[in-house]
Amino acid sequence: MSIILDLSSTISILISAAVSIIYTFLGGLYAVAYTDIIQLSFIFVSLWLCIPFVILSPAVTALVQTTQLNHSSVHSWIGEVKFEDAGKWTDDFLILALGGLAYQALHQRILAAASSSKAQVTCFAAAGAAFLMGIPPVIIGAAAASADWNQTEYGLPPPYDRGEAGNVLPLALSYITPNWVSVLGIGALAAAVMSSMDSSLLSSASMFTQNIYKTSLRKQASDRELKWVIRISVLLVGLAGTGLAFNKSSILALWVLAADLLYCVVTPQLFCVVHLRVANCYGAISGYVIALLLRGLSGEPALGIPTVLLFPGWRERDGVITQYFPFRTLIAFISLAAVVLVSWLVELAFARRLIPQSWDVLDAFNKNIEAEEKEMASTISNVEKKYVSNTAL
């Protein structure tokens, strides 16, 4: 909005946040679900309509002619991954591929499905739709890299050299396409932002609401009370997210950072919950703390966190340290190992009576014992019923 409509970034952020917070506050999951359908359709149609105007622009060289790295007149839009950069690229790829699995918004949609089969179909359909929706941004990015920006009002140097690579999509729509096409494109971008923000608002608010009721031991509450708690949580989370959007780092950097934290901290926990029965809450807490500590010590330029823990292959440029070792993947494996090891040791200690049962402050093993007793009692009851039935027959 700030680039195409020539508004200040502050006003653009406030307008976007206000619209998203209001309809999420009033409509809840229904509003988020139905608006997502409209938004995703608008993103798909609008960006594909922009493609011909971007490719046929006089400022854009034919993409086929700019595939060679040694092209003399323009920069190639196909880059090169050096061997010493392979670790960083692998880390980023795994973050984008696996970090989203731990998003609460994803599991919110899965749990809201009418059946398991519909949830599975939704996930597979989303995977295909994500691939199709990724094609137009790739084409526009390639056209922007191949464009002669000196023929546009933007001029030289190009966006990458100005440090505005994160805004290349709205810049391309604004300076390479006609005005009415750029307005159509900004609608697609706004829809993309709203689609992400309302889901994050509702999922975070629901999570906080659940924790509030668990902490206060209010296991039964009226629907009216629950709705208002969720609405207040939506408002608070929305205001916090709006404040974070004013950070000097780009929104793209903050989004990648969110996926980064989920990949390092939460994904190992999710894997243990789904696939490893040995994991318990003591191991989960230890893995969470270790992953968060290691990730914080590794530094984060987007938030101005200094780097304390240096991994092999790190480089420093203009006073900013960049880690080229796949340290995020290493932290995720360390966290996973910590969860499994601590869980096994604690369970062994309680089973061998090396630790008194009264020290089980989280009731991790008392609950297991009660569940096993209930399961055994249920099994005995079913056997008795079957015996009585067979006798009567």
Side-chain angles (χ1 to χ4, degrees), residues 14-186:
L14 290 176
I15 292 174
S16 302
V19 172
S20 184
I21 291 174
I22 287 173
Y23 76 73
T24 307
F25 181 88
L26 297 176
L29 183 59
Y30 285 102
V32 172
Y34 286 116
T35 53
D36 277 358
I37 296 174
I38 300 172
Q39 289 159 352
L40 292 174
S41 302
F42 194 70
I43 293 169
F44 186 76
V45 175
S46 299
L47 287 182
W48 273 110
L49 288 177
C50 296
I51 294 296
F53 296 94
V54 172
I55 295 178
L56 298 177
S57 173
V60 176
T61 308
L63 300 184
V64 178
Q65 300 178 13
T66 57
T67 56
Q68 301 298 323
L69 293 175
N70 57 355
H71 199 277
S72 58
S73 60
V74 292
H75 294 290
S76 172
W77 57 272
I78 296 181
E80 180 184 7
V81 178
K82 299 179 181 179
F83 180 77
E84 56 267 26
D85 300 340
K88 186 176 185 301
W89 279 93
T90 302
D91 221 16
D92 292 340
F93 174 79
L94 291 175
I95 288 173
L96 296 177
L98 303 177
L101 294 176
Y103 271 117
Q104 207 271 347
L106 168 65
H107 299 280
Q108 178 191 72
R109 304 305 175 85
I110 293 174
L111 295 174
S115 63
S116 299
S117 59
K118 288 186 178 181
Q120 292 175 341
V121 171
T122 301
C123 290
F124 286 112
F131 178 80
L132 293 176
M133 291 187 177
I135 296 176
V138 170
I139 297 176
I140 296 175
S146 305
D148 182 6
W149 289 91
N150 197 31
Q151 298 184 28
T152 67
E153 296 181 2
Y154 186 80
L156 294 176
Y160 183 81
D161 295 336
R162 298 190 191 187
E164 297 181 353
N167 295 326
V168 69
L169 181 55
L171 286 173
L173 294 175
S174 180
Y175 292 99
I176 298 179
T177 64
N179 291 333
W180 68 272
V181 176
S182 63
V183 172
L184 189 66
I186 190 61

Side-chain angles (χ1 to χ4, degrees), residues 127-283:
F131 178 80
L132 293 176
M133 291 187 177
I135 296 176
V138 170
I139 297 176
I140 296 175
S146 305
D148 182 6
W149 289 91
N150 197 31
Q151 298 184 28
T152 67
E153 296 181 2
Y154 186 80
L156 294 176
Y160 183 81
D161 295 336
R162 298 190 191 187
E164 297 181 353
N167 295 326
V168 69
L169 181 55
L171 286 173
L173 294 175
S174 180
Y175 292 99
I176 298 179
T177 64
N179 291 333
W180 68 272
V181 176
S182 63
V183 172
L184 189 66
I186 190 61
L189 298 181
V193 172
M194 296 299 177
S195 177
S196 299
M197 185 173 180
D198 56 19
S199 299
S200 300
L201 284 177
L202 190 63
S203 61
S204 301
S206 302
M207 183 171 58
F208 288 136
T209 302
Q210 182 184 20
N211 291 333
I212 289 172
Y213 275 103
K214 281 186 176 181
T215 304
S216 61
L217 298 179
R218 294 185 60 181
K219 297 183 179 179
Q220 293 183 350
S222 64
D223 292 340
R224 184 182 181 86
E225 290 178 323
L226 192 60
K227 287 180 180 179
W228 274 106
V229 172
I230 293 178
R231 286 175 176 175
I232 294 173
S233 300
V234 166
L235 183 59
L236 295 177
V237 173
L239 293 176
T242 305
L244 189 62
F246 289 109
N247 189 286
K248 64 180 180 179
S249 301
S250 68
I251 302 301
L252 178 62
L254 294 175
W255 180 81
V256 173
L257 178 60
D260 178 348
L261 288 175
L262 286 172
Y263 176 65
C264 296
V265 179
V266 185
T267 302
Q269 311 273 343
L270 177 64
F271 180 83
C272 291
V273 168
V274 176
H275 297 288
L276 300 179
R277 296 189 63 182
V278 69
N280 54 54
C281 52
Y282 296 101

